[in-house]
Amino acid sequence: MNVRDISVNRPTVKDIANALNLSISTVSRALNKKGKLSPKTIKSIESKAKEMGYLPNYIAKSLRSNITYTVGVIIPDITNPIFPSYARGILDTAVKNGYQVHILNSDMDIEKERAALRSLLSKRVDGLILTSTNLSDKELSALRDKDIPFVVTRREIEVRNISYVDVNNFYGGYIAGEYLIERGRKKIAFIGSRFSGEPARKRLRGFIRAVERHNMIVDKKLIIEGETSIEGGYEAAKEAYKKGADSIFAYNDIMAIGALAFANDQGLKLPGDFSIIGFDDIYLSSLPFIKLTTIRQPMYYMGSKAFSVLFNLMASKESKVYKIWIKPELVIRATA
Amino acid sequence: MNVRDISVNRPTVKDIANALNLSISTVSRALNKKGKLSPKTIKSIESKAKEMGYLPNYIAKSLRSNITYTVGVIIPDITNPIFPSYARGILDTAVKNGYQVHILNSDMDIEKERAALRSLLSKRVDGLILTSTNLSDKELSALRDKDIPFVVTRREIEVRNISYVDVNNFYGGYIAGEYLIERGRKKIAFIGSRFSGEPARKRLRGFIRAVERHNMIVDKKLIIEGETSIEGGYEAAKEAYKKGADSIFAYNDIMAIGALAFANDQGLKLPGDFSIIGFDDIYLSSLPFIKLTTIRQPMYYMGSKAFSVLFNLMASKESKVYKIWIKPELVIRATA
DNA sequence: TTGTACGCGTTATCAA
DNA sequence: TTGATAACGCGTACAA
């Protein structure tokens, strides 16, 4: 069987036109409801199309129109628990607007990300969502100067004229600190990773601001580095505890859960003896065994918003710029 | 700015040809390393292409070749904890082979799934992976009769000539039962959902077989239905416990975790007083708070395998059929 | 109301 | 070794 023969199963406008003794343009117009056609012709074309199982060929449409109704999304790692609902937010909103989504993982590896970008650009996606991108400001500027609209998420951008959507990390850190202080905590440790970059720094700064607002100071010894993992959280918590901390604000829930494991092993009663507050509100955190008090990042909303912004960007000819900070919120459970 | 003007940023073979006073066919050949060309011309074309930032237009390539290097994947819900690593397995393997992936969610809703399928077909994907499809055998047959290769996962198919990849649910149920019996359990309950369909039935049958092999019988009262959720697992476990069960084999980890929550609330010591074994080995199950003994489904491998099978299907002109059962394995932790 | 003809960017065929 | 041309399926300006 030759590749060409598949037209048996994949009828084109031409096939419909031939079957009906009409011209392709008439068929095209009928199918796209454009121009004036006799209702009779329209009806016959529509029923014939249905009968033959016609599906428009978006490849051809795209070549013609320069629109692919496809967006590319680069995500560090879909198996990271914060990303599935983010991805779902993008997917749902895209589908609702007639778009499809190409997802590629970068693993925070700059070369992988560049390869992903080239691949997406070759596929002529209409727009891009770059999540936690490692691209330099220079590269982002260059991308901006091309004709393709894109949105950056989870990384605030100093470069002008680049749209982004991110959670307000500073505010999140602030309300976390505020809450712990209100609960009477005096020696709050921050555990985070040196490698988690700007978001971690923002959360820490917000936290420090909250502490200082209460005329307290943050003990630099209690700002502790660790791996962004359960084990890393465990070790960092151990260190914080040894240094006399009475509570922990963790960079993210994964580390907070590690800290919680340490507190359990230590036989500490939460939130009586000790308090732990995380950041993210991943699915895990709500489990009955964990019940982590945390700062929720509405990831589904962030994904949905990112697509909406991109959609606006793709639709308008003028180049607008959106800078959106999503407010995180405190979720009080059992650990603080 | 007109849409046409974007060629400033998106040079084509034609632009390169003009810049070099060559024909487009020469440029095309050079870029694709086909035919005999003078090394000089090749070099000049390659450097010009690089200079102009040329990226091949895959839309045009696809129209010409009828190959899109894109596959469509329908997944019930990417936020379901069993699916992210499955998706990652597909993505990684696809990228490794030069393919991109369109992911769509069906939410186990037949109409959504049909819409997703139409959309993917219109986009002319080269192949499909249907996960836990709800399409009828008839619809699958019809799809098979089209020219598009596809693989079904997480649903064994009675229809002949349809390739699928699934975990061996029967075997998984069998080793779960076997293990509990070996540990001296006599009154094992099975908790699952009526709605979880064929996989649940297979797991139950495997479990029953193991019990019968040991000349014991399964008490029908201990086959308990519940929602596929933590709460559902909790309630089902309560019922099982009331009815005198000394252990539970849960349809999946989520329910097992619910059962574990019940056991904790009840003050039962595991695996001394009571045993719980799950199915899936989702990320949660390995957490220090949970340490669930379970039957692991290698989801990343399943995704990777599904793409490999599809890749073979797409590559070969003859219509092969693959039926692949992946062996699940027992993961012993703290609950059984 | 319907038809003709062209071009989107590419590659394969045939010719030079 | 290189060039001219047709074709993939579609939508649209222009003609009838």
Side-chain angles (χ1 to χ4, degrees):
Chain A
M1 175 169 131
N2 189 287
V3 172
R4 290 290 164 275
D5 299 336
I6 67 172
S7 63
V8 179
N9 291 315
R10 301 279 189 119
T12 69
V13 281
K14 195 176 170 186
D15 296 324
I16 298 176
N18 288 343
L20 257 30
N21 266 320
L22 289 167
S23 74
I24 6 179
S25 40
T26 304
V27 174
S28 171
R29 276 186 288 250
L31 262 16
N32 294 290
K33 306 187 195 307
K34 287 202 175 161
K36 297 272 172 207
L37 296 182
S38 87
K40 211 180 89 185
T41 348
I42 294 185
K43 224 176 160 183
S44 70
I45 290 173
E46 281 176 346
S47 71
K48 197 68 178 177
K50 192 157 191 183
E51 175 198 328
M52 299 176 76
Y54 172 80
L55 286 178
N57 184 329
Y58 269 83
I59 299 296
K61 262 184 182 335
S62 294
L63 184 60
R64 177 64 230 231
S65 65
N66 224 348
I67 301 173
T68 57
Y69 292 102
T70 302
V71 300
V73 176
I74 297 179
I75 291 183
D77 178 10
I78 187 72
T79 66
N80 179 326
I82 63 170
F83 289 127
S85 66
Y86 169 74
R88 188 72 213 253
I90 295 175
L91 284 170
D92 287 353
T93 316
V95 167
K96 201 176 295 166
N97 288 284
Y99 275 74
Q100 281 189 9
V101 178
H102 272 311
I103 294 180
L104 258 33
N105 290 115
S106 67
D107 289 317
M108 299 301 270
D109 171 339
I110 182 72
E111 279 313 323
K112 268 199 180 182
E113 185 172 357
R114 290 198 185 107
L117 192 57
R118 272 195 300 276
S119 163
L120 258 8
L121 256 18
S122 257
K123 284 287 174 81
R124 262 35 183 196
V125 294
D126 294 338
L128 291 167
I129 297 176
L130 307 178
T131 313
S132 311
T133 181
N134 278 315
L135 258 28
S136 68
D137 287 356
K138 206 169 154 187
E139 285 173 300
L140 288 170
S141 294
L143 192 58
R144 183 198 54 198
D145 295 338
K146 299 204 177 204
D147 58 301
I148 184 158
F150 67 99
V151 175
V152 169
T153 67
R154 295 182 61 75
R155 169 177 160 189
E156 286 179 30
I157 291 298
E158 308 305 331
V159 188
R160 289 174 52 206
N161 302 336
I162 288 185
S163 293
Y164 67 78
V165 175
D166 199 357
V167 74
N168 190 330
N169 285 300
F170 182 90
Y171 177 78
Y174 185 87
I175 58 177
E178 185 81 3
Y179 179 72
L180 289 175
I181 293 163
E182 277 172 8
R183 309 293 274 191
R185 294 304 173 187
K186 304 289 179 200
K187 305 197 71 183
I188 310 173
F190 176 84
I191 64 177
S193 157
R194 180 184 7 170
F195 306 107
S196 33
E198 198 54 26
R201 282 192 288 277
K202 290 254 169 69
R203 289 171 201 177
L204 177 55
R205 286 221 304 275
F207 163 67
I208 291 173
R209 170 74 58 86
V211 174
E212 292 174 344
R213 272 278 166 86
H214 287 79
N215 300 314
M216 296 160 63
I217 55 157
V218 175
D219 182 349
K220 288 220 173 102
K221 293 233 169 55
L222 292 182
I223 297 176
I224 293 165
E225 268 177 22
E227 297 287 320
T228 313
S229 64
I230 291 189
E231 294 72 22
Y234 191 100
E235 292 305 321
K238 184 189 284 182
E239 189 181 334
Y241 186 68
K242 272 189 191 153
K243 290 182 176 167
D246 61 9
S247 54
I248 285 178
F249 169 38
Y251 160 65
N252 69 8
D253 280 2
I254 291 292
M255 293 191 80
I257 286 169
L260 184 54
F262 169 76
N264 282 354
D265 285 357
Q266 202 68 20
L268 299 172
K269 290 232 182 312
L270 274 64
D273 304 341
F274 202 80
S275 295
I276 296 173
I277 188 166
F279 203 108
D280 281 345
D281 196 29
I282 56 181
Y283 177 66
L284 296 183
S285 308
S286 64
L287 292 187
F289 311 86
I290 297 186
K291 292 189 188 138
L292 183 71
T293 295
T294 189
I295 307 296
R296 173 182 297 155
Q297 299 200 60
M299 293 304 290
Y300 183 94
Y301 180 75
M302 190 187 289
S304 167
K305 194 75 192 171
F307 184 86
S308 302
V309 166
L310 183 59
F311 187 74
N312 288 339
L313 252 27
M314 295 187 299
S316 75
K317 283 292 115 187
E318 327 115 57
S319 57
K320 292 184 193 169
V321 178
Y322 296 79
K323 307 267 187 192
I324 294 176
W325 284 274
I326 296 170
K327 262 200 182 177
E329 53 179 305
L330 177 66
V331 178
I332 299 171
R333 295 206 183 91
T335 63
Chain B
M1 173 167 134
N2 189 287
V3 171
R4 290 291 164 276
D5 299 338
I6 67 173
S7 62
V8 180
N9 290 315
R10 302 280 189 118
T12 69
V13 280
K14 193 175 172 186
D15 297 323
I16 299 177
N18 287 343
L20 256 28
N21 265 319
L22 288 168
S23 74
I24 43 171
S25 25
T26 303
V27 175
S28 172
R29 276 188 288 251
L31 262 17
N32 295 288
K33 307 186 195 307
K34 288 201 176 164
K36 299 271 171 205
L37 295 183
S38 87
K40 212 182 87 186
T41 342
I42 294 184
K43 224 178 159 183
S44 71
I45 290 172
E46 281 176 348
S47 72
K48 197 68 178 178
K50 192 158 192 183
E51 176 197 329
M52 299 175 76
Y54 171 79
L55 285 178
N57 184 328
Y58 269 84
I59 298 298
K61 264 189 191 315
S62 294
L63 183 60
R64 181 57 229 223
S65 66
N66 224 347
I67 301 174
T68 56
Y69 292 101
T70 302
V71 299
V73 176
I74 298 179
I75 291 183
D77 178 10
I78 188 70
T79 66
N80 179 327
I82 64 169
F83 288 125
S85 65
Y86 169 74
R88 188 71 212 255
I90 295 175
L91 285 170
D92 287 353
T93 316
V95 167
K96 202 176 295 167
N97 288 285
Y99 274 74
Q100 282 190 10
V101 177
H102 272 312
I103 294 180
L104 258 31
N105 291 114
S106 66
D107 291 318
M108 299 301 272
D109 170 337
I110 183 72
E111 278 314 322
K112 268 198 180 182
E113 186 172 357
R114 289 198 186 108
L117 191 59
R118 271 195 301 275
S119 163
L120 258 7
L121 256 18
S122 258
K123 284 285 173 81
R124 258 47 180 185
V125 293
D126 295 337
L128 292 167
I129 296 176
L130 309 179
T131 313
S132 311
T133 180
N134 278 315
L135 257 28
S136 67
D137 288 356
K138 205 168 155 187
E139 284 172 300
L140 288 171
S141 294
L143 192 58
R144 184 198 54 197
D145 295 339
K146 300 203 179 208
D147 58 301
I148 184 160
F150 67 98
V151 175
V152 169
T153 67
R154 294 181 62 74
R155 169 176 159 189
E156 288 179 28
I157 290 298
E158 308 306 331
V159 187
R160 289 174 53 206
N161 302 337
I162 288 184
S163 292
Y164 67 77
V165 175
D166 199 358
V167 75
N168 190 330
N169 286 300
F170 182 89
Y171 177 77
Y174 185 85
I175 58 177
E178 187 81 4
Y179 179 73
L180 289 175
I181 294 163
E182 276 171 10
R183 308 295 273 188
R185 294 305 174 187
K186 304 290 180 199
K187 306 197 70 181
I188 311 172
F190 176 85
I191 64 177
S193 158
R194 180 184 7 172
F195 306 107
S196 33
E198 199 53 28
R201 281 191 289 275
K202 290 253 169 66
R203 289 171 200 177
L204 177 55
R205 286 220 303 272
F207 163 67
I208 291 174
R209 170 73 59 88
V211 174
E212 291 175 346
R213 272 278 167 86
H214 286 79
N215 300 314
M216 296 162 61
I217 54 156
V218 175
D219 182 351
K220 289 218 173 104
K221 291 233 168 57
L222 292 181
I223 297 175
I224 293 165
E225 268 177 22
E227 297 286 319
T228 312
S229 64
I230 292 189
E231 294 72 23
Y234 191 99
E235 292 305 321
K238 184 189 282 180
E239 189 180 334
Y241 185 69
K242 272 189 193 155
K243 290 182 177 167
D246 61 9
S247 54
I248 285 178
F249 169 38
Y251 160 65
N252 69 8
D253 281 2
I254 291 293
M255 292 190 80
I257 286 169
L260 183 54
F262 169 75
N264 282 354
D265 285 358
Q266 202 68 18
L268 298 173
K269 290 231 181 312
L270 273 63
D273 303 341
F274 201 80
S275 296
I276 296 173
I277 188 165
F279 204 109
D280 281 345
D281 196 28
I282 56 181
Y283 176 66
L284 296 181
S285 307
S286 64
L287 291 186
F289 311 87
I290 296 186
K291 294 189 186 134
L292 183 71
T293 295
T294 189
I295 306 296
R296 174 183 296 154
Q297 299 199 60
M299 293 305 289
Y300 182 94
Y301 179 74
M302 190 188 289
S304 168
K305 194 73 194 174
F307 184 86
S308 302
V309 167
L310 183 58
F311 187 73
N312 289 339
L313 253 26
M314 293 186 300
S316 76
K317 282 293 116 187
E318 326 115 56
S319 57
K320 292 184 193 168
V321 178
Y322 297 79
K323 306 268 186 190
I324 293 176
W325 284 276
I326 297 170
K327 261 200 181 176
E329 53 180 306
L330 177 65
V331 178
I332 299 171
R333 295 206 183 89
T335 63

